[in-house]
């Protein structure tokens, strides 16, 4: 198990063309793992007009 982030880290960017979140460059945690893990907290937000998904340890 890699080191889990204690601060919010971006793991995915929303792609308007695909209509879904795609992995962010350099993301160490997959969207699937973030969604299924009880240890991680996720949030969706907008940064500079771009929708992103972020994760951190609960």
């Amino acid at each position: 198990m890699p080191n889990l982030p204690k601060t919010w880290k971006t793991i995915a960017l929303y792609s308007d063309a695909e209509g879904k979140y795609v992995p962010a460059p350099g993301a160490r945690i997959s969207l699937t793992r973030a969604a299924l893990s009880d240890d991680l907290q996720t949030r969706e937000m907008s940064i500079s007009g771009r929708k992103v998904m972020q994760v951190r340890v609960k």
Side-chain angles (χ1 to χ4, degrees):
M1 179 183 291
N3 293 336
L4 299 175
K6 290 182 173 41
T7 60
W8 290 106
K9 299 292 180 188
T10 299
I11 61 166
L13 307 169
Y14 187 79
S15 169
D16 288 329
E18 295 183 41
K20 65 179 183 177
Y21 281 97
V22 294
R28 301 176 117 188
I29 298 171
S30 71
L31 289 165
T32 305
R33 178 168 179 219
L36 298 176
S37 177
D38 291 333
D39 299 340
L40 299 173
Q41 180 179 11
T42 61
R43 72 177 179 185
E44 295 177 21
M45 63 180 306
S46 183
I47 298 176
S48 298
R50 191 101 199 247
K51 286 173 48 175
V52 298
M53 181 174 291
Q54 297 182 325
V55 66
R56 73 173 179 183
V57 174
K58 281 188 176 178

